Amino acid sequence: GRPVGEEAINDLVVQVEEDVRLLGGEVESARIGALVLERLRPLDGVAAVRFASVYKGFEGPEDFEAELRLLDTQQGGD
C-alpha cells in the first residue's frame, strides 16, 4: 500500500539477490533481512520502519524511535 513502483521493488529484489550471491554459500535469514532493510531504507522510510518492526521484533515505542533516528541519520537528516 506504499507509493513505490513495481520497477523500484523489482530493482530492490535484484540488488538483494546480488548481495546474497556475493556473500556465497549459505546465508542466514537474519542476514537477508538486514540486506532487505538496508536497501529498503532509502527507497521508502515508512516501509523500512514497518519491516524493521517485524524483522527486529520491536517491543515498544523506544524501538520505533531508535529506528527513526537511524533512518534520519542515513538519509542525512539533522
Side-chain angles (χ1 to χ4, degrees), residues 1-50:
R2 299 291 307 148
V4 178
E6 187 175 335
E7 184 175 342
I9 293 169
N10 289 335
D11 288 346
L12 182 143
V13 170
V14 168
Q15 291 169 352
V16 170
E17 287 176 341
E18 182 62 23
D19 291 342
V20 170
R21 259 193 291 290
L22 290 173
L23 291 171
E26 289 186 30
V27 179
E28 293 181 8
S29 61
R31 182 66 181 125
I32 295 171
L35 291 169
V36 169
L37 185 55
E38 182 181 309
R39 297 290 186 171
L40 190 54
R41 282 184 183 124
L43 180 63
D44 185 325
V46 172
V49 172
R50 287 178 175 176

Side-chain angles (χ1 to χ4, degrees), residues 57-75:
F58 288 4
E59 294 185 11
E62 63 280 355
D63 296 326
F64 284 92
E65 290 171 358
E67 188 65 30
L68 289 170
R69 280 192 300 275
L70 180 60
L71 179 65
D72 190 47
T73 300
Q74 290 183 347
Q75 292 183 346

